[in-house]
Amino acid sequence: DDWKKWNDSVAVAEHTNGEVVYRNLSQEPWSYMFNGIEFERNGALSSDYYTLEKQKYMAFSGNLVAQVGQYHELKMGFDYRKYTIRRFSINTRVIGLFDRDDSTKALIDTPLETVGIEKWQNYMANTYGYDYEGNELDDGFDGAKQPVFAALYFQDKIEYKHLIINAGIRIDYFDMDDYKLKNPANPEVNSSQGVFADEAWEEKDATVRVSPRLGFSFPASDRTVFYLQYGKFVQMTELNDIYYGSRQFARQIIEGGYYFIGGLGFDLGPISTTSYEIGFRQQLGNFASVDVSGFYKNIKGQPQIIKQMTEPGAQIEAYDRLVNGDFSTTKGFELQFNSRRVKRVQTSV
C-alpha cells in the first residue's frame, strides 16, 4: 500500500529478495512473448494508478412525537450530518522523473524537490484533501471537502371521524463546501502554474429547500378506503460530479483534457422530485384485499452536459461542464392482491 514503491526497482528487489529485477530504474521486466502473445512476468504492475479515498462523518438526529388533544398527533425532528472527504490518485510511473546518482536509494527516500512540482503535477489524477505526496491537506482549494447536510421536519397527523390527514413540511440545508467559477465564460488563469487563479473562484452558497407533504385517507365504506398523496423531495447530486482538485480542472479545461470524463461539475444544486399518488384499497371477503394505485413523478435538476462557450479573448477554449438542466417524468400503475393465511398458505401477488 506504499505507492512510492510500485515502480521502484530498488524497493521491488528488496521486497522480493532480488527475485524480481527491473529492466531499468523504474520499468518492470519485459513481458514474455510467445508467437506474438504477451504474458506478464512476475513483478508486472496490475495498475498504473494508486488511488486512496477516505471518508468520515459526524451525525446526530432527534425527534419528538406528541398527542395533542383528541385529533392531532404531532411529530417534529431534525437530522444533521457533516462529512470529511479526501481523495488521492497518482500515476506511479512518476518515478520515471527521478534521476538518482545513488541507484541503491529508494524513491521513498528521495526529496520531491529533485523533480519539481510542475512535472510531478502532470502525473496527478483527481486529488483533493491530500498534497502531492499523499499527506492529508485540510485548507485551501485542494483541501478536504466538508459538506454539511441538515434537515428540520414537522408533521401533523389529523384523525377526524372517518378522515385521516397527514400534513407536513421539511426544510433541507445543503452546504457543499465547494467553489464555483465567478465567470465560467472567461475565468482567470495562473499561467505560471497552469491552473485557474485563486481570484477565478468564489465559494458556493449553501442551498435551502422547503418541501411540503400532504396525504388524505378516507373510507368510502367499511371495506373500501381511498387515499391521495402529494409531496416534494430533494437530494443532492452525486458528490463524484462535484468534487475535483485544481489539477483536474486544469487538465480538462485549461489544457483541453487528456481523456474525456463527461464534463466537470461546479455550482451544482440538488435534484428535486414532485410526486403524486392516488389509489384505493378494497377488502374482498374476510381473508383478502386488493390495492390499486396510480402515480406520477416529475424529477428536475438532473445533471446534464453542456458546451460552455467562452468570451472573445479568453485564455481557454470552449469546454464541457455539468449543470442541473435535465428532467424526467415517471408514470405508473400498481395492482396488488393480498390474502391472509388460509390453510397454511399466505398470498401476495
Side-chain angles (χ1 to χ4, degrees):
D1 60 356
D2 189 344
W3 65 270
K4 292 183 179 180
K5 297 180 179 180
W6 281 20
N7 278 96
D8 193 317
S9 59
V10 176
V12 172
E14 291 176 352
H15 181 70
T16 61
N17 295 319
E19 179 182 347
V20 176
V21 179
Y22 273 28
R23 64 181 187 267
N24 56 38
L25 182 68
S26 60
Q27 292 181 302
E28 64 266 29
W30 292 109
S31 297
Y32 293 108
M33 296 295 293
F34 292 99
N35 295 322
I37 301 175
E38 183 176 346
F39 295 87
E40 292 182 334
R41 293 177 185 262
N42 183 21
L45 289 180
S46 60
S47 172
D48 288 340
Y49 275 90
Y50 172 82
T51 301
L52 171 65
E53 293 181 315
K54 183 178 180 180
Q55 295 186 19
K56 63 179 181 179
Y57 68 89
M58 175 185 66
F60 53 90
S61 61
N63 65 76
L64 174 66
V65 180
Q67 184 71 35
V68 179
Q70 182 179 356
Y71 304 114
H72 297 271
E73 180 187 82
L74 302 181
K75 183 178 182 178
M76 61 192 72
F78 69 92
D79 183 81
Y80 175 92
R81 182 170 295 195
K82 181 177 182 179
Y83 287 86
T84 300
I85 304 174
R86 306 176 190 272
R87 189 179 193 275
F88 177 78
S89 185
I90 189 168
N91 188 321
T92 58
R93 298 189 185 278
V94 69
I95 189 177
L97 297 176
F98 284 86
D99 183 15
R100 295 172 290 189
D101 296 332
D102 185 356
S103 61
T104 64
K105 192 174 184 181
L107 168 62
I108 195 171
D109 301 320
T110 305
L112 175 60
E113 289 72 19
T114 63
V115 171
I117 296 293
E118 296 77 12
K119 294 180 180 179
W120 186 275
Q121 289 175 341
N122 291 329
Y123 288 80
M124 300 292 297
N126 191 25
T127 294
Y128 49 84
Y130 294 96
D131 64 14
Y132 296 118
E133 293 188 87
N135 303 307
E136 290 191 359
L137 180 68
D138 293 321
D139 302 322
F141 186 93
D142 287 325
K145 308 300 183 182
Q146 296 184 311
V148 173
F149 302 91
L152 295 171
Y153 57 89
F154 175 86
Q155 178 180 289
D156 184 7
K157 182 179 181 181
I158 307 168
E159 297 184 80
Y160 182 73
K161 293 185 177 179
H162 299 298
L163 178 65
I164 300 176
I165 302 174
N166 282 290
I169 191 169
R170 179 184 173 96
I171 302 173
D172 284 283
Y173 173 88
F174 304 101
D175 183 357
M176 301 311 298
D177 186 29
D178 197 21
Y179 295 85
K180 64 179 181 179
L181 288 173
K182 296 178 183 177
N183 183 4
N186 190 5
E188 299 179 58
V189 175
N190 185 331
S191 301
S192 62
Q193 297 182 14
V195 298
F196 286 119
D198 293 340
E199 297 75 20
W201 299 100
E202 63 180 352
E203 291 190 20
K204 177 176 170 55
D205 295 333
T207 301
V208 178
R209 293 289 181 89
V210 179
S211 305
R213 316 277 171 84
L214 186 62
F216 295 93
S217 177
F218 51 91
S221 69
D222 60 343
R223 292 177 173 267
T224 305
V225 176
F226 284 93
Y227 59 90
L228 174 67
Q229 298 178 14
Y230 159 82
K232 284 185 173 291
F233 307 86
V234 295
Q235 67 179 41
M236 199 58 208
T237 306
E238 289 186 11
L239 300 185
N240 284 336
D241 291 337
I242 299 175
Y243 290 148
Y244 300 96
S246 59
R247 287 305 308 170
Q248 191 75 336
F249 277 110
R251 181 176 292 111
Q252 295 299 317
I253 299 179
I254 300 175
E255 300 171 9
Y258 297 128
Y259 55 92
F260 180 73
I261 62 173
L264 301 182
F266 55 86
D267 197 22
L268 288 173
I271 301 169
S272 61
T273 300
T274 304
S275 176
Y276 306 87
E277 183 175 359
I278 186 171
F280 72 90
R281 183 176 298 107
Q282 176 69 49
Q283 184 175 340
L284 305 175
N286 296 323
F287 301 100
S289 67
V290 61
D291 292 350
V292 180
S293 65
F295 60 87
Y296 174 89
K297 294 181 181 179
N298 185 18
I299 306 170
K300 295 182 178 180
Q302 294 175 313
Q304 176 185 9
I305 299 175
I306 66 167
K307 176 69 72 174
Q308 176 64 60
M309 306 308 295
T310 55
E311 299 174 354
Q315 295 177 268
I316 60 174
E317 298 180 356
Y319 59 93
D320 295 327
R321 59 174 290 207
L322 291 171
V323 298
N324 294 103
D326 212 347
F327 70 95
S328 63
T329 57
T330 302
K331 293 169 281 187
F333 173 80
E334 292 183 352
L335 174 64
Q336 181 170 334
F337 172 83
N338 299 289
S339 72
R340 297 177 183 175
R341 193 175 304 277
V342 179
K343 295 182 180 180
R344 300 181 182 178
V345 176
Q346 185 176 6
T347 306
S348 179
V349 180

